[in-house]
Amino acid sequence: MGEPTRVGKRGTIVVPASLRKRYGFEEGTMVVAEGSEYGVLLRPAVLVPVEIYTPERKAEFLLANAVDAADRKEAEAEARKLKADLPAAKRRVRRRKR
């Protein structure tokens, strides 16, 4: 059975404590509100962190995944296009392979 609550200023809604505990809504929890045929559905949002790679890190990926000499030469050319610090990326790749 549902619990009554009130819509406040600016559209705020207080989710009853029993429902917050049951579904793991804590202060600061991001939620997604969706309309459905039964009303409004609130569910926890799934947040995916976004990682932004520097040109040096991209060069490191390219170099680390080279499988032969030709592939490595191509990776170095791509790294130069990124204007990456190629010597530093090579050092990091060598350190990781040890």
Side-chain angles (χ1 to χ4, degrees):
M1 187 69 185
E3 295 183 44
T5 190
R6 180 171 288 144
V7 177
K9 291 181 183 178
R10 298 182 4 212
T12 57
I13 299 172
V14 175
V15 178
S18 60
L19 293 174
R20 289 194 312 267
K21 288 176 189 168
R22 183 175 178 185
Y23 294 103
F25 291 167
E26 297 174 352
E27 184 178 348
T29 299
M30 296 294 292
V31 296
V32 174
E34 296 177 352
S36 75
E37 61 184 276
Y38 301 105
V40 178
L41 170 68
L42 289 179
R43 58 185 174 81
V46 177
L47 303 177
V48 180
V50 176
E51 189 171 345
I52 299 172
Y53 298 112
T54 64
E56 287 74 24
R57 188 72 171 124
K58 290 177 186 176
E60 190 178 332
F61 289 143
L62 289 167
L63 295 170
N65 291 307
V67 292
D68 57 23
D71 200 22
R72 185 164 183 84
K73 190 173 185 176
E74 201 173 304
E76 287 177 2
E78 284 297 315
R80 282 189 198 92
K81 286 181 191 175
L82 294 171
K83 299 194 183 335
D85 182 358
L86 198 53
K90 286 181 181 180
R91 282 192 301 274
R92 281 194 296 275
V93 169
R94 269 187 249 128
R95 267 188 253 137
R96 287 204 170 122
K97 287 186 178 181
R98 289 184 197 167

Coordinates of all heavy atoms in Angstrom, one line a residue:
M1 N 0.8 -1.2 0.0 CA 0.0 0.0 0.0 C 0.9 1.2 0.0 O 1.9 1.3 0.7 CB -0.9 0.0 1.3 CG -1.9 1.0 1.3 SD -3.2 0.7 0.1 CE -4.1 2.2 0.2
G2 N 0.5 2.2 -0.7 CA 1.3 3.5 -0.8 C 1.1 4.4 0.4 O 0.2 4.2 1.2
E3 N 2.0 5.3 0.6 CA 2.0 6.2 1.7 C 1.8 7.6 1.1 O 2.5 8.0 0.1 CB 3.3 6.2 2.5 CG 3.5 4.9 3.2 CD 4.8 4.9 4.0 OE1 5.0 5.9 4.7 OE2 5.5 4.0 4.0
P4 N 0.8 8.4 1.6 CA 0.6 9.7 1.0 C 1.8 10.7 1.4 O 2.4 10.6 2.4 CB -0.7 10.2 1.7 CG -0.8 9.4 2.9 CD -0.1 8.1 2.7
T5 N 2.0 11.6 0.4 CA 3.0 12.6 0.6 C 2.6 13.8 -0.2 O 1.6 13.7 -0.9 CB 4.4 12.1 0.2 OG1 5.4 13.1 0.5 CG2 4.5 11.9 -1.3
R6 N 3.2 14.9 0.0 CA 2.8 16.2 -0.6 C 3.8 16.7 -1.6 O 5.0 16.6 -1.3 CB 2.5 17.2 0.5 CG 2.0 18.5 0.0 CD 1.6 19.4 1.2 NE 0.3 18.8 1.6 CZ -0.1 18.8 2.9 NH1 0.6 19.3 3.8 NH2 -1.3 18.2 3.2
V7 N 3.4 17.4 -2.6 CA 4.4 18.0 -3.5 C 4.6 19.4 -2.9 O 3.6 20.2 -2.7 CB 3.8 18.1 -5.0 CG1 4.7 18.9 -5.9 CG2 3.5 16.8 -5.5
G8 N 5.9 19.8 -2.7 CA 6.2 21.1 -2.1 C 6.6 22.1 -3.2 O 6.4 21.9 -4.4
K9 N 7.2 23.2 -2.7 CA 7.7 24.3 -3.6 C 8.6 23.7 -4.6 O 9.4 22.8 -4.3 CB 8.3 25.4 -2.8 CG 7.4 26.1 -1.9 CD 8.2 27.2 -1.2 CE 7.3 28.0 -0.2 NZ 8.0 29.0 0.5
R10 N 8.6 24.2 -5.8 CA 9.5 23.8 -6.9 C 9.4 22.4 -7.2 O 10.3 21.7 -7.7 CB 11.0 24.2 -6.5 CG 11.2 25.7 -6.3 CD 12.6 26.1 -6.0 NE 13.6 25.0 -6.0 CZ 14.6 25.0 -5.2 NH1 14.9 26.0 -4.4 NH2 15.5 24.0 -5.3
G11 N 8.3 21.7 -6.9 CA 8.0 20.3 -7.3 C 8.7 19.3 -6.4 O 8.8 18.1 -6.8
T12 N 9.2 19.7 -5.2 CA 9.9 18.7 -4.4 C 8.9 17.7 -3.8 O 7.8 18.1 -3.4 CB 10.7 19.3 -3.3 OG1 9.8 20.1 -2.5 CG2 11.8 20.2 -3.8
I13 N 9.3 16.4 -3.7 CA 8.5 15.4 -3.1 C 9.3 14.7 -2.1 O 10.4 14.3 -2.3 CB 8.0 14.4 -4.2 CG1 7.2 15.1 -5.3 CG2 7.2 13.2 -3.6 CD1 6.9 14.2 -6.5
V14 N 8.7 14.5 -0.9 CA 9.4 13.8 0.2 C 9.0 12.3 0.0 O 7.8 11.9 0.1 CB 9.0 14.3 1.6 CG1 9.6 13.4 2.7 CG2 9.4 15.7 1.7
V15 N 10.0 11.5 -0.2 CA 9.8 10.0 -0.3 C 9.7 9.5 1.1 O 10.7 9.7 1.9 CB 10.9 9.3 -1.2 CG1 10.6 7.8 -1.2 CG2 10.9 9.9 -2.6
P16 N 8.7 8.8 1.5 CA 8.6 8.3 2.9 C 9.8 7.5 3.3 O 10.4 6.7 2.4 CB 7.3 7.5 2.9 CG 6.5 8.1 1.7 CD 7.5 8.5 0.7
A17 N 10.2 7.6 4.5 CA 11.4 6.9 5.0 C 11.4 5.4 4.8 O 12.4 4.8 4.4 CB 11.6 7.2 6.5
S18 N 10.2 4.8 5.0 CA 10.2 3.3 4.7 C 10.5 2.9 3.3 O 11.2 2.0 3.1 CB 8.8 2.8 5.1 OG 7.8 3.4 4.3
L19 N 10.1 3.7 2.4 CA 10.4 3.5 0.9 C 11.9 3.8 0.6 O 12.5 3.1 -0.1 CB 9.5 4.3 0.0 CG 8.0 3.8 0.0 CD1 7.2 4.8 -0.8 CD2 7.9 2.4 -0.4
R20 N 12.4 4.9 1.2 CA 13.8 5.2 1.0 C 14.7 4.1 1.5 O 15.7 3.7 0.8 CB 14.2 6.6 1.7 CG 13.6 7.8 1.1 CD 14.2 9.1 1.6 NE 14.3 9.2 3.1 CZ 13.4 9.7 3.9 NH1 12.3 10.3 3.4 NH2 13.6 9.8 5.2
K21 N 14.4 3.6 2.7 CA 15.2 2.5 3.2 C 15.1 1.2 2.4 O 16.0 0.6 2.1 CB 14.8 2.2 4.7 CG 15.2 3.2 5.7 CD 14.6 2.9 7.0 CE 14.9 4.1 8.0 NZ 14.1 4.0 9.2
R22 N 13.8 0.9 2.0 CA 13.6 -0.3 1.2 C 14.3 -0.3 -0.2 O 14.8 -1.3 -0.6 CB 12.1 -0.4 0.9 CG 11.7 -1.6 0.2 CD 10.2 -1.7 0.1 NE 9.7 -2.9 -0.6 CZ 8.5 -3.1 -0.9 NH1 7.5 -2.4 -0.5 NH2 8.2 -4.2 -1.6
Y23 N 14.4 0.9 -0.8 CA 15.0 1.0 -2.1 C 16.4 1.6 -2.1 O 16.9 1.9 -3.2 CB 14.0 1.7 -3.1 CG 12.8 0.9 -3.3 CD1 11.6 1.2 -2.7 CD2 12.8 -0.2 -4.1 CE1 10.5 0.5 -2.8 CE2 11.7 -1.0 -4.3 CZ 10.5 -0.6 -3.6 OH 9.4 -1.4 -3.8
G24 N 16.9 1.9 -1.0 CA 18.3 2.4 -0.9 C 18.5 3.9 -1.3 O 19.6 4.3 -1.7
F25 N 17.4 4.7 -1.2 CA 17.6 6.1 -1.5 C 18.2 6.8 -0.3 O 17.5 6.9 0.7 CB 16.2 6.8 -1.9 CG 15.6 6.3 -3.2 CD1 14.3 6.6 -3.5 CD2 16.4 5.6 -4.1 CE1 13.8 6.2 -4.7 CE2 15.8 5.2 -5.3 CZ 14.5 5.5 -5.6
E26 N 19.4 7.3 -0.4 CA 20.0 8.1 0.6 C 20.1 9.6 0.1 O 20.0 9.8 -1.0 CB 21.4 7.5 1.0 CG 21.3 6.1 1.5 CD 22.7 5.5 1.7 OE1 23.7 6.1 1.3 OE2 22.7 4.4 2.2
E27 N 20.5 10.4 1.1 CA 20.7 11.8 0.7 C 21.7 11.9 -0.4 O 22.8 11.3 -0.3 CB 21.1 12.7 1.9 CG 21.3 14.1 1.5 CD 21.7 15.0 2.8 OE1 21.6 14.5 3.9 OE2 22.0 16.1 2.5
G28 N 21.4 12.6 -1.5 CA 22.4 12.8 -2.6 C 22.3 11.7 -3.7 O 22.9 11.8 -4.7
T29 N 21.4 10.7 -3.5 CA 21.2 9.7 -4.5 C 20.6 10.3 -5.7 O 19.6 11.0 -5.7 CB 20.3 8.5 -4.0 OG1 20.8 7.9 -2.8 CG2 20.0 7.5 -5.0
M30 N 21.2 10.0 -6.9 CA 20.7 10.5 -8.1 C 19.6 9.5 -8.5 O 19.7 8.3 -8.4 CB 21.7 10.5 -9.2 CG 22.9 11.5 -8.9 SD 22.3 13.2 -9.0 CE 21.9 13.4 -10.7
V31 N 18.4 10.0 -9.0 CA 17.3 9.2 -9.4 C 16.9 9.6 -10.8 O 17.1 10.7 -11.3 CB 16.1 9.3 -8.4 CG1 16.5 8.7 -7.1 CG2 15.6 10.7 -8.3
V32 N 16.2 8.7 -11.5 CA 15.6 8.9 -12.8 C 14.1 8.9 -12.5 O 13.6 7.9 -11.9 CB 16.0 7.8 -13.8 CG1 15.2 8.0 -15.1 CG2 17.5 7.9 -14.0
A33 N 13.4 9.9 -13.0 CA 11.9 9.9 -12.9 C 11.3 9.6 -14.3 O 11.7 10.3 -15.2 CB 11.4 11.2 -12.3
E34 N 10.5 8.6 -14.4 CA 9.9 8.3 -15.6 C 8.4 8.2 -15.5 O 7.9 7.7 -14.5 CB 10.4 6.9 -16.1 CG 11.8 6.8 -16.4 CD 12.2 5.3 -16.8 OE1 11.4 4.4 -16.7 OE2 13.4 5.1 -17.2
G35 N 7.7 8.6 -16.5 CA 6.3 8.5 -16.6 C 6.0 7.1 -17.0 O 6.6 6.5 -17.9
S36 N 4.9 6.4 -16.4 CA 4.5 5.1 -16.9 C 3.0 5.1 -16.9 O 2.3 6.1 -16.5 CB 5.0 4.0 -15.9 OG 4.3 4.0 -14.7
E37 N 2.4 4.0 -17.3 CA 1.0 4.0 -17.4 C 0.3 4.0 -16.0 O -0.8 4.3 -15.9 CB 0.5 2.7 -18.2 CG 0.9 1.4 -17.5 CD 0.5 0.2 -18.4 OE1 -0.6 -0.2 -18.2 OE2 1.4 -0.3 -19.1
Y38 N 1.1 3.7 -15.0 CA 0.6 3.7 -13.6 C 0.9 5.0 -12.8 O 0.4 5.2 -11.7 CB 1.2 2.5 -12.8 CG 0.9 1.2 -13.5 CD1 1.8 0.5 -14.2 CD2 -0.4 0.7 -13.5 CE1 1.5 -0.7 -14.8 CE2 -0.7 -0.5 -14.1 CZ 0.3 -1.2 -14.8 OH 0.0 -2.4 -15.4
G39 N 1.7 5.9 -13.4 CA 2.1 7.1 -12.7 C 3.5 7.4 -12.9 O 4.0 7.3 -14.0
V40 N 4.2 7.9 -11.9 CA 5.6 8.3 -12.0 C 6.5 7.2 -11.3 O 6.2 6.9 -10.2 CB 5.9 9.7 -11.3 CG1 7.4 10.0 -11.4 CG2 5.0 10.7 -12.0
L41 N 7.5 6.7 -12.0 CA 8.4 5.7 -11.5 C 9.7 6.4 -11.1 O 10.3 7.1 -12.0 CB 8.6 4.7 -12.5 CG 9.7 3.7 -12.2 CD1 9.4 2.8 -11.1 CD2 10.0 2.8 -13.5
L42 N 10.2 6.3 -9.9 CA 11.5 6.8 -9.5 C 12.4 5.6 -9.3 O 12.0 4.6 -8.7 CB 11.4 7.5 -8.1 CG 10.7 8.8 -8.0 CD1 10.7 9.3 -6.6 CD2 11.4 9.8 -9.0
R43 N 13.6 5.6 -9.9 CA 14.6 4.6 -9.7 C 15.9 5.2 -9.6 O 16.2 6.3 -10.1 CB 14.5 3.5 -10.8 CG 14.6 4.0 -12.2 CD 14.4 2.9 -13.2 NE 14.5 3.5 -14.5 CZ 15.6 3.7 -15.2 NH1 16.7 3.5 -14.7 NH2 15.5 4.2 -16.4
P44 N 16.9 4.5 -8.9 CA 18.2 5.0 -8.8 C 18.9 5.1 -10.2 O 18.6 4.3 -11.1 CB 19.0 4.0 -8.0 CG 17.9 3.2 -7.3 CD 16.7 3.2 -8.2
A45 N 19.6 6.2 -10.4 CA 20.2 6.4 -11.7 C 21.6 5.7 -11.7 O 22.2 5.6 -10.7 CB 20.5 7.9 -11.9
V46 N 21.9 5.1 -12.9 CA 23.2 4.5 -13.0 C 24.1 5.5 -13.7 O 23.9 6.0 -14.8 CB 23.1 3.2 -13.9 CG1 24.4 2.6 -14.2 CG2 22.1 2.2 -13.3
L47 N 25.2 5.9 -13.0 CA 26.1 6.9 -13.4 C 27.4 6.2 -13.9 O 27.9 5.4 -13.1 CB 26.4 7.9 -12.4 CG 25.2 8.7 -11.8 CD1 25.6 9.6 -10.7 CD2 24.5 9.4 -12.9
V48 N 27.8 6.5 -15.1 CA 29.1 5.9 -15.6 C 30.1 7.0 -15.6 O 29.9 8.0 -16.3 CB 28.8 5.3 -17.0 CG1 30.1 4.7 -17.6 CG2 27.7 4.3 -17.0
P49 N 31.2 6.8 -14.9 CA 32.3 7.8 -14.9 C 32.9 7.9 -16.3 O 33.1 6.9 -17.0 CB 33.3 7.3 -13.9 CG 33.0 5.8 -13.8 CD 31.6 5.6 -14.1
V50 N 33.2 9.1 -16.7 CA 33.8 9.4 -18.0 C 35.3 9.7 -17.8 O 35.6 10.6 -17.0 CB 33.1 10.5 -18.7 CG1 33.8 10.8 -20.0 CG2 31.6 10.2 -19.0
E51 N 36.1 9.0 -18.5 CA 37.6 9.3 -18.3 C 38.0 10.0 -19.6 O 37.8 9.5 -20.7 CB 38.3 7.9 -18.1 CG 39.8 8.2 -17.8 CD 40.5 6.9 -17.4 OE1 39.8 5.9 -17.1 OE2 41.7 6.9 -17.3
I52 N 38.7 11.0 -19.4 CA 39.3 11.8 -20.5 C 40.8 11.6 -20.6 O 41.5 11.8 -19.6 CB 39.0 13.3 -20.4 CG1 37.4 13.5 -20.4 CG2 39.6 14.1 -21.5 CD1 37.0 14.9 -20.1
Y53 N 41.2 11.0 -21.7 CA 42.6 10.7 -21.8 C 43.5 11.8 -22.4 O 43.0 12.4 -23.4 CB 42.8 9.4 -22.7 CG 42.1 8.2 -22.1 CD1 40.9 7.7 -22.7 CD2 42.5 7.6 -21.0 CE1 40.3 6.6 -22.2 CE2 41.9 6.5 -20.4 CZ 40.8 6.0 -21.0 OH 40.2 4.9 -20.5
T54 N 44.6 12.0 -21.9 CA 45.6 12.9 -22.4 C 46.2 12.3 -23.7 O 46.2 11.1 -23.9 CB 46.7 13.2 -21.4 OG1 47.5 12.0 -21.2 CG2 46.2 13.8 -20.1
P55 N 46.8 13.2 -24.6 CA 47.5 12.6 -25.7 C 48.6 11.6 -25.4 O 48.7 10.6 -26.1 CB 48.1 13.9 -26.4 CG 47.2 15.0 -26.0 CD 46.8 14.6 -24.6
E56 N 49.3 11.8 -24.3 CA 50.3 10.9 -23.8 C 49.7 9.5 -23.5 O 50.3 8.5 -23.8 CB 51.1 11.5 -22.6 CG 52.0 12.6 -23.0 CD 51.3 13.9 -23.3 OE1 50.2 14.1 -22.8 OE2 51.9 14.7 -24.0
R57 N 48.5 9.6 -22.8 CA 47.9 8.3 -22.4 C 47.4 7.6 -23.6 O 47.5 6.3 -23.7 CB 46.7 8.6 -21.4 CG 46.1 7.4 -20.8 CD 47.0 6.7 -19.8 NE 46.3 5.7 -19.1 CZ 46.7 4.4 -19.0 NH1 47.9 4.1 -19.6 NH2 46.0 3.5 -18.4
K58 N 46.9 8.3 -24.6 CA 46.4 7.7 -25.9 C 47.6 7.1 -26.6 O 47.5 5.9 -27.1 CB 45.7 8.7 -26.8 CG 44.4 9.2 -26.3 CD 43.8 10.3 -27.2 CE 42.6 10.9 -26.7 NZ 42.1 12.0 -27.5
A59 N 48.7 7.8 -26.6 CA 49.9 7.2 -27.2 C 50.4 6.0 -26.5 O 50.8 5.0 -27.2 CB 51.0 8.3 -27.2
E60 N 50.3 6.0 -25.2 CA 50.7 4.8 -24.4 C 49.8 3.6 -24.8 O 50.3 2.5 -25.0 CB 50.5 5.1 -22.9 CG 51.1 4.1 -22.0 CD 50.9 4.6 -20.5 OE1 50.8 5.8 -20.3 OE2 50.8 3.7 -19.7
F61 N 48.5 3.8 -25.0 CA 47.6 2.7 -25.4 C 48.0 2.2 -26.8 O 48.1 1.0 -27.0 CB 46.1 3.2 -25.5 CG 45.5 3.5 -24.1 CD1 44.6 4.5 -24.0 CD2 45.7 2.7 -23.0 CE1 44.0 4.8 -22.8 CE2 45.1 3.0 -21.8 CZ 44.2 4.0 -21.7
L62 N 48.3 3.1 -27.7 CA 48.6 2.7 -29.0 C 49.9 1.9 -29.0 O 50.0 0.8 -29.6 CB 48.8 3.9 -29.9 CG 47.6 4.7 -30.3 CD1 48.0 6.1 -30.9 CD2 46.8 3.9 -31.3
L63 N 50.9 2.3 -28.3 CA 52.2 1.6 -28.2 C 52.1 0.3 -27.5 O 52.7 -0.7 -27.9 CB 53.3 2.5 -27.6 CG 53.6 3.8 -28.3 CD1 54.5 4.7 -27.4 CD2 54.3 3.4 -29.6
A64 N 51.3 0.2 -26.5 CA 51.2 -1.0 -25.7 C 50.5 -2.1 -26.5 O 50.7 -3.3 -26.2 CB 50.5 -0.7 -24.4
N65 N 49.6 -1.7 -27.4 CA 48.8 -2.7 -28.2 C 49.4 -3.1 -29.5 O 48.9 -3.8 -30.2 CB 47.4 -2.2 -28.3 CG 46.7 -2.2 -27.0 OD1 46.6 -3.2 -26.3 ND2 46.1 -1.0 -26.7
A66 N 50.6 -2.5 -29.8 CA 51.3 -2.9 -31.1 C 51.8 -4.3 -31.0 O 52.4 -4.7 -30.0 CB 52.5 -1.9 -31.3
V67 N 51.5 -5.1 -32.0 CA 51.9 -6.5 -32.0 C 53.1 -6.9 -32.7 O 53.7 -8.0 -32.5 CB 50.7 -7.4 -32.5 CG1 49.5 -7.3 -31.5 CG2 50.3 -7.0 -33.9
D68 N 53.5 -6.1 -33.6 CA 54.8 -6.3 -34.4 C 55.5 -5.0 -34.7 O 54.9 -3.9 -34.4 CB 54.5 -7.2 -35.6 CG 53.5 -6.6 -36.6 OD1 53.3 -5.3 -36.6 OD2 52.9 -7.3 -37.4
A69 N 56.6 -5.1 -35.4 CA 57.4 -3.9 -35.7 C 56.6 -2.9 -36.6 O 56.6 -1.7 -36.4 CB 58.7 -4.3 -36.4
A70 N 55.9 -3.4 -37.6 CA 55.1 -2.6 -38.5 C 54.0 -1.9 -37.7 O 53.7 -0.7 -37.9 CB 54.5 -3.4 -39.7
D71 N 53.3 -2.7 -36.9 CA 52.2 -2.1 -36.1 C 52.8 -1.0 -35.1 O 52.1 0.0 -34.9 CB 51.6 -3.2 -35.3 CG 50.2 -2.9 -34.8 OD1 49.5 -2.0 -35.4 OD2 49.7 -3.5 -33.9
R72 N 54.0 -1.3 -34.5 CA 54.6 -0.3 -33.6 C 54.9 1.0 -34.4 O 54.7 2.1 -33.9 CB 55.8 -0.9 -33.0 CG 56.4 0.0 -32.0 CD 57.4 -0.7 -31.1 NE 57.9 0.2 -30.1 CZ 57.3 0.4 -28.9 NH1 56.2 -0.2 -28.6 NH2 57.8 1.2 -28.0
K73 N 55.4 0.9 -35.6 CA 55.8 2.0 -36.4 C 54.5 2.9 -36.7 O 54.5 4.1 -36.6 CB 56.4 1.6 -37.7 CG 57.0 2.7 -38.5 CD 57.8 2.1 -39.7 CE 58.5 3.2 -40.4 NZ 59.4 2.7 -41.5
E74 N 53.4 2.2 -37.0 CA 52.1 2.8 -37.2 C 51.6 3.5 -36.0 O 51.1 4.7 -36.0 CB 51.1 1.8 -37.7 CG 49.9 2.4 -38.4 CD 49.1 1.2 -39.0 OE1 49.6 0.4 -39.7 OE2 47.9 1.3 -38.7
A75 N 51.8 2.9 -34.8 CA 51.4 3.4 -33.5 C 52.2 4.7 -33.2 O 51.6 5.7 -32.7 CB 51.5 2.4 -32.4
E76 N 53.5 4.7 -33.5 CA 54.3 5.8 -33.2 C 53.9 7.0 -34.1 O 53.9 8.1 -33.7 CB 55.8 5.5 -33.5 CG 56.4 4.6 -32.4 CD 57.8 4.2 -32.6 OE1 58.4 4.6 -33.6 OE2 58.3 3.4 -31.8
A77 N 53.5 6.7 -35.4 CA 53.1 7.8 -36.3 C 51.8 8.4 -35.8 O 51.6 9.6 -35.8 CB 52.9 7.2 -37.7
E78 N 50.9 7.5 -35.3 CA 49.6 8.1 -34.8 C 49.9 8.9 -33.5 O 49.2 9.9 -33.3 CB 48.7 6.9 -34.4 CG 48.0 6.3 -35.6 CD 47.1 7.3 -36.4 OE1 46.3 8.0 -35.8 OE2 47.2 7.3 -37.6
A79 N 50.8 8.5 -32.7 CA 51.1 9.2 -31.5 C 51.7 10.6 -31.8 O 51.4 11.5 -31.1 CB 52.1 8.4 -30.6
R80 N 52.5 10.6 -32.8 CA 53.1 11.9 -33.3 C 52.0 12.9 -33.7 O 52.0 14.1 -33.5 CB 54.1 11.7 -34.4 CG 55.4 11.2 -33.9 CD 56.5 11.3 -35.0 NE 57.6 10.4 -34.6 CZ 57.7 9.1 -34.8 NH1 56.8 8.5 -35.6 NH2 58.8 8.4 -34.4
K81 N 50.9 12.3 -34.4 CA 49.8 13.1 -34.9 C 49.1 13.7 -33.7 O 48.5 14.8 -33.7 CB 48.8 12.3 -35.7 CG 49.3 12.0 -37.1 CD 48.2 11.1 -37.8 CE 48.8 10.6 -39.1 NZ 47.8 9.7 -39.7
L82 N 49.1 13.0 -32.5 CA 48.4 13.5 -31.3 C 49.2 14.5 -30.6 O 48.8 15.1 -29.6 CB 48.2 12.3 -30.3 CG 47.2 11.2 -30.8 CD1 47.3 10.1 -29.8 CD2 45.8 11.8 -30.8
K83 N 50.5 14.7 -31.1 CA 51.4 15.7 -30.5 C 51.7 15.2 -29.0 O 51.8 16.0 -28.1 CB 50.9 17.1 -30.5 CG 50.7 17.6 -32.0 CD 50.6 19.1 -32.0 CE 50.3 19.7 -33.3 NZ 50.7 19.1 -34.5
A84 N 51.8 13.9 -28.9 CA 52.1 13.4 -27.5 C 53.6 13.4 -27.3 O 54.4 13.4 -28.2 CB 51.5 11.9 -27.5
D85 N 53.9 13.3 -26.0 CA 55.3 13.2 -25.5 C 55.6 11.7 -25.7 O 55.5 10.9 -24.8 CB 55.4 13.6 -24.1 CG 56.8 13.5 -23.6 OD1 57.7 13.1 -24.3 OD2 57.0 13.9 -22.4
L86 N 56.1 11.4 -26.9 CA 56.4 10.0 -27.3 C 57.4 9.3 -26.5 O 57.2 8.2 -26.0 CB 56.7 10.0 -28.8 CG 56.7 8.6 -29.5 CD1 55.3 8.0 -29.3 CD2 57.0 8.8 -31.0
P87 N 58.5 10.0 -26.1 CA 59.5 9.3 -25.3 C 58.9 8.9 -23.9 O 59.2 7.8 -23.4 CB 60.6 10.3 -25.1 CG 60.5 11.1 -26.4 CD 59.1 11.2 -26.7
A88 N 58.1 9.8 -23.3 CA 57.5 9.5 -22.0 C 56.6 8.4 -22.1 O 56.5 7.5 -21.2 CB 56.8 10.8 -21.5
A89 N 55.7 8.3 -23.2 CA 54.8 7.2 -23.4 C 55.5 5.9 -23.5 O 55.1 4.9 -22.9 CB 53.9 7.5 -24.6
K90 N 56.6 5.9 -24.3 CA 57.4 4.7 -24.5 C 58.0 4.2 -23.1 O 58.0 3.0 -22.8 CB 58.6 4.9 -25.4 CG 58.1 5.0 -26.9 CD 59.3 5.2 -27.8 CE 58.9 5.4 -29.2 NZ 60.1 5.6 -30.1
R91 N 58.5 5.1 -22.3 CA 59.0 4.7 -21.0 C 57.9 4.1 -20.1 O 58.2 3.1 -19.4 CB 59.6 5.9 -20.3 CG 61.0 6.4 -20.8 CD 61.7 7.4 -19.9 NE 60.9 8.6 -19.7 CZ 60.9 9.7 -20.5 NH1 61.7 9.7 -21.5 NH2 60.2 10.7 -20.2
R92 N 56.7 4.6 -20.1 CA 55.7 4.1 -19.3 C 55.3 2.7 -19.8 O 55.0 1.8 -19.0 CB 54.4 5.0 -19.3 CG 54.6 6.2 -18.4 CD 53.3 6.9 -18.1 NE 52.7 7.5 -19.3 CZ 53.1 8.7 -19.8 NH1 53.9 9.5 -19.1 NH2 52.5 9.2 -20.8
V93 N 55.3 2.5 -21.1 CA 54.9 1.2 -21.7 C 56.0 0.2 -21.2 O 55.7 -0.9 -20.8 CB 54.8 1.2 -23.2 CG1 54.7 -0.2 -23.8 CG2 53.6 2.0 -23.6
R94 N 57.3 0.6 -21.3 CA 58.4 -0.3 -20.9 C 58.3 -0.7 -19.5 O 58.5 -1.9 -19.1 CB 59.7 0.3 -21.2 CG 60.2 -0.1 -22.6 CD 61.6 0.4 -22.8 NE 61.5 1.5 -23.8 CZ 62.0 2.7 -23.7 NH1 62.7 3.0 -22.7 NH2 61.8 3.6 -24.6
R95 N 58.0 0.3 -18.6 CA 57.8 0.0 -17.2 C 56.7 -1.0 -16.9 O 56.8 -1.8 -16.0 CB 57.6 1.3 -16.4 CG 58.8 2.0 -15.9 CD 58.5 3.1 -15.0 NE 58.8 4.3 -15.7 CZ 58.1 5.4 -15.8 NH1 57.0 5.5 -15.1 NH2 58.5 6.4 -16.5
R96 N 55.6 -0.9 -17.6 CA 54.5 -1.8 -17.3 C 54.7 -3.2 -17.8 O 54.2 -4.1 -17.3 CB 53.2 -1.2 -18.1 CG 52.7 0.0 -17.4 CD 51.3 0.2 -17.7 NE 50.8 1.3 -16.8 CZ 50.2 2.4 -17.2 NH1 50.0 2.6 -18.5 NH2 49.8 3.3 -16.3
K97 N 55.6 -3.3 -18.8 CA 55.9 -4.7 -19.3 C 56.8 -5.5 -18.4 O 56.9 -6.7 -18.5 CB 56.4 -4.6 -20.7 CG 55.4 -4.2 -21.7 CD 55.9 -4.3 -23.1 CE 54.8 -4.0 -24.1 NZ 55.3 -4.0 -25.5
R98 N 57.5 -4.8 -17.5 CA 58.4 -5.5 -16.6 C 57.8 -6.3 -15.6 O 56.7 -6.3 -15.2 CB 59.3 -4.4 -15.9 CG 60.3 -3.8 -16.8 CD 61.2 -2.8 -16.0 NE 61.8 -1.9 -16.9 CZ 62.4 -0.8 -16.5 NH1 62.5 -0.5 -15.3 NH2 63.0 -0.1 -17.4

